[in-house]
């Protein structure tokens, strides 16, 4: 593929964890990576590491909680590339409080924890998405991926036989449930366009967010990469973990 025809992908929170590895794996497919990060220092560091591996990477300042950076990032993409092929909404926080290693229950989780979690994982992630949808519409094969979690599944949470039944982080979980709802609605809105909109469950992945995870970041990034590179006849409006559909 010529440099001019290269696909352009923007990943939020790409300076570490699953987002960084997603950037690496897209780089391996000769996709240009815009490394979204809220800190210029760690974003540039990630850019340098990706470039050292031979990937076409470029840091772009994007703080999910700062609308001005959404606007400046979109302006930059518009002026330099004229379109965005792939948007991966990867950045998120998990700040539910613990007492004796057990998450604070739903009846005790504070307003503040719910609001801060929802601001990053839901409201401001929507705001990033809305800022970039017009640029994704300019791609001939746009893909939008929302990093969700099996912990966002109400079906799994209400099934005593599910492996996550006893894993309840109220603010984080419900912020991902809400995000799933948004993914379904956006997929519906865009169903008659080439754009595919899907939610990814990376699995339980060892990162700063989840030191007790089971999967490596290499495995954890696979679902995001698969959804970002779906073929023209691929699905939209689905919730996927490693090729398997999850219940909402
Ligand atoms: P992580 O290692 O904690 O990385 C989170 C990333 O998000 C960091 O780059 C962080 O940037 C960024 N971020 C947080 N708030 C931001 C903001 N306001 N603006 C821009 N960037 C921000 O987490 P991870 O495990 O890789 O998680 C990646 C995604 O997968 C998340 O959506 C998470 O919910 C989801 N997920 C993870 C697991 C798991 O087991 N790890 C399971 C299910 C779903 P800073 O470095 O600046 O803090």
């Amino acid at each position: 593929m010529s440099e001019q025809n290269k696909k352009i992908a923007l990943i939020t929170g790409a300076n570490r964890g699953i987002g960084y590895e997603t950037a690496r794996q897209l780089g391996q497919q000769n996709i240009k990576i815009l490394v979204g990060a809220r800190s210029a220092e760690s974003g540039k560091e990630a850019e340098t590491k990706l470039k050292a591996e031979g990937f076409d990477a470029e840091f772009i300042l994007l703080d999910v909680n700062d609308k001005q950076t959404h606007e400046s990032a979109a302006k930059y993409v518009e002026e330099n590339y004229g379109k965005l092929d792939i948007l991966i909404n990867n950045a998120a926080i998990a700040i539910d409080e613990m007492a004796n290693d057990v998450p604070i229950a739903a009846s005790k989780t504070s307003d503040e924890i719910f609001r801060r979690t929802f601001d990053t994982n839901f409201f401001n992630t929507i705001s990033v998405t809305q800022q970039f949808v017009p640029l994704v519409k300019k791609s001939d094969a746009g893909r939008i991926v929302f990093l969700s979690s099996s912990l966002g599944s109400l079906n799994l949470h209400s099934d005593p036989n599910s492996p996550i039944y006893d894993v309840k982080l109220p603010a984080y979980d419900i912020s991902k449930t809400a995000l799933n709802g948004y993914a379904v609605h956006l997929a519906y809105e865009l169903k008659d366009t080439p754009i595919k909109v899907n939610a990814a469950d990376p699995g339980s992945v060892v990162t700063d967010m989840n030191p007790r995870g089971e999967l490596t970041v290499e495995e954890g990034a696979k679902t995001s990469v698969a959804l970002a590179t779906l073929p023209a006849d691929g699905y939209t409006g689905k919730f996927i973990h490693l090729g398997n559909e999850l219940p909402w």
Side-chain angles (χ1 to χ4, degrees):
M1 194 181 285
S2 77
E3 288 298 297
Q4 270 185 342
N5 293 334
K6 250 188 178 181
K7 283 193 178 163
I8 321 282
L10 169 62
I11 306 160
T12 64
N15 54 299
R16 62 185 168 100
I18 296 168
Y20 178 77
E21 176 59 24
T22 302
R24 284 189 70 245
Q25 292 183 19
L26 290 176
Q28 285 162 359
Q29 298 196 31
N30 199 31
I31 292 169
K32 162 120 204 169
I33 313 137
L34 299 175
V35 180
R38 60 178 159 178
S39 139
E41 194 186 343
S42 68
K44 281 187 183 150
E45 200 179 304
E47 176 195 292
T48 304
K49 281 198 288 175
L50 290 162
K51 279 185 170 160
E53 285 198 71
F55 305 133
D56 186 358
E58 187 181 349
F59 157 66
I60 190 163
L61 184 70
L62 204 160
D63 182 339
V64 171
N65 293 336
D66 179 352
K67 217 169 172 164
Q68 274 192 342
T69 68
H70 308 177
E71 288 165 9
S72 57
K75 189 163 178 262
Y76 180 83
V77 174
E78 166 100 72
E79 286 175 3
N80 288 275
Y81 305 104
K83 60 153 187 179
L84 183 66
D85 299 293
I86 296 165
L87 171 65
I88 303 187
N89 286 295
N90 170 83
I93 54 170
I95 55 167
D96 284 73
E97 289 167 319
M98 313 286 278
N100 300 322
D101 225 22
V102 178
I104 301 287
S107 69
K108 303 262 169 53
T109 299
S110 69
D111 240 39
E112 197 222 332
I113 292 291
F114 270 115
R115 285 180 194 282
R116 278 175 52 206
T117 304
F118 267 72
D119 274 347
T120 301
N121 296 5
F122 182 65
F123 293 113
N124 297 335
T125 294
I126 291 174
S127 157
V128 170
T129 307
Q130 290 179 340
Q131 185 74 52
F132 281 95
V133 162
L135 284 166
V136 178
K137 282 185 173 168
K138 292 188 179 166
S139 164
D140 52 15
R143 304 286 178 264
I144 298 175
V145 181
F146 291 97
L147 266 283
S148 180
S149 166
S150 58
L151 296 178
S153 167
L154 293 180
N155 268 284
L156 295 179
H157 266 304
S158 49
D159 175 0
N161 296 316
S162 115
I164 63 133
Y165 183 66
D166 290 319
V167 186
K168 287 196 162 49
L169 296 155
Y172 177 79
D173 296 356
I174 303 166
S175 72
K176 295 296 188 181
T177 309
L179 194 63
N180 283 350
Y182 187 76
V184 170
H185 284 69
L186 187 63
Y188 174 81
E189 177 186 336
L190 299 173
K191 67 182 166 48
D192 298 323
T193 76
I195 302 173
K196 318 276 181 220
V197 181
N198 291 290
D201 167 31
S204 177
V205 182
V206 184
T207 62
D208 296 338
M209 185 184 281
N210 184 13
R212 295 184 200 168
E214 288 143 27
L215 304 180
T216 62
V217 278
E218 285 80 7
E219 292 166 303
K222 278 185 186 163
T223 303
S224 301
V225 171
L227 298 181
T229 55
L230 282 170
D233 63 353
Y235 45 76
T236 190
K238 303 279 188 198
F239 185 16
I240 302 291
H241 170 61
L242 289 174
N244 298 311
E245 193 170 353
L246 296 182
W248 294 111

